[in-house]
Amino acid sequence: MTRKPPEPVEVVKSRREAALARLVAGVPYIGFLGARFDRRGDELTAVLPFHPSLIGNPAIPALHGGATAAFLEVAAIIELAWSNLWQDMEEGRIDPSAEAFPALPKTITFTVDYLRSGLPRDAYARATVTRSGRRFATVQVEAWQDNRAKPFAQATAHFLMPEL
Amino acid sequence: MAPCARALTGENDVKEIQMSQRLIQARDVMQSLPHAQSLGMIVTETAEGSATITMPYDPRLIGDPATGVLHGGAISALMDTASGAAVMCHPSAPAATATLDLRIDYMRPATPGQAITARAICHHVTRTVAFVRVTATDADESRPVAMGTGTFTLERPLP
């Protein structure tokens, strides 16, 4: 019996980067916010570089609660879509250059808690899919700035999964 | 004495003028927030404990290019801003406010090409917390796009 040789690391990396880039490019609003995604294996970290247009309260100054909420929502939706397409991507059933790409989940409810005011610095977020069903999925997401142990906002979202 | 000059002297009238000045101030403050400006928000109405803000349709805010529907994040930002404005317009005259939490239910996709309007009502305040309900609609006002409830901090003015 012959074993299939492992794929070259460049092939694996470029396939994953292409799929992630395609996913992120599919949401114009992510570009508007200026957010991007760092990837280590299947782990994603959403990064929101600071920009003056994200300010809500110029007196403190603090990030706008709406910008924070939008960042968390974007992080949650991309994590869910990413974890959903992982298997198909790894098994070569998804072509990032193809016209059609899997549809994104739709947000049903989004609940955000503000824990401390957002500073005028870069922000990071990581999301966890706590339940992924055929029709519904639940995602938790947490955002921090300087200290990972001191999140400044967290959110729970329920999504409607796209029809297969 | 002209009727309008007489009207200015009554105690209730003074309160009313202070209130309307505060409403104008709250409108200007909310409108000037950098992130509100970058989303093109316009404060269309402020009243005691309520505020209405409109955000034009903008292709940069699309969440799903296949349909052209706006991203929920942009609508969240609009609803958060309208809610904060409603708190600032409350008769208790808060000095400042910040969102504690906000829950938004997305009931249907916003129709592409249409502006979104958020109407927020600050229906109750305690010494430190304000409670808000907010509704977002597109051109079809009979079917809300999203509804939300939030709590906000309430900083009392210095005595």
Side-chain angles (χ1 to χ4, degrees), chain A residues 3-4 6 24 29 32 45 68 75 78-79 83 90 92 103-105 115 119 122 134 143 154 161 163:
Chain A
R3 250 173 85 174
K4 214 172 125 191
V24 172
Y29 186 69
F32 172 83
T45 307
T68 302
I78 292 294
E79 175 66 41
S83 68
E90 289 299 285
L104 288 170
L115 308 173
L119 304 168
D122 293 1
R134 198 168 49 83
Q154 63 186 16
M161 300 308 291
E163 308 237 342

Side-chain angles (χ1 to χ4, degrees), chain B residues 13-98:
Chain B
D13 296 327
V14 170
K15 273 189 184 156
E16 205 163 291
I17 289 164
Q18 283 175 341
M19 185 67 207
S20 65
Q21 279 173 341
R22 284 204 330 98
L23 292 178
I24 291 166
Q25 205 183 342
R27 183 195 67 194
D28 292 346
V29 166
M30 297 316 285
Q31 184 116 28
S32 72
L33 305 181
H35 194 61
Q37 283 194 339
S38 76
L39 288 164
M41 293 184 202
I42 297 163
V43 182
T44 54
E45 198 187 319
T46 48
E48 285 195 28
S50 78
T52 305
I53 303 186
T54 294
M55 180 176 73
Y57 182 80
D58 184 334
R60 294 177 303 162
L61 309 181
I62 290 172
D64 183 357
T67 57
V69 171
L70 291 181
H71 193 273
I75 295 171
S76 299
L78 174 68
M79 293 172 86
D80 182 66
T81 308
S83 301
V87 174
M88 291 306 289
C89 291
H90 192 267
S92 60
T97 186

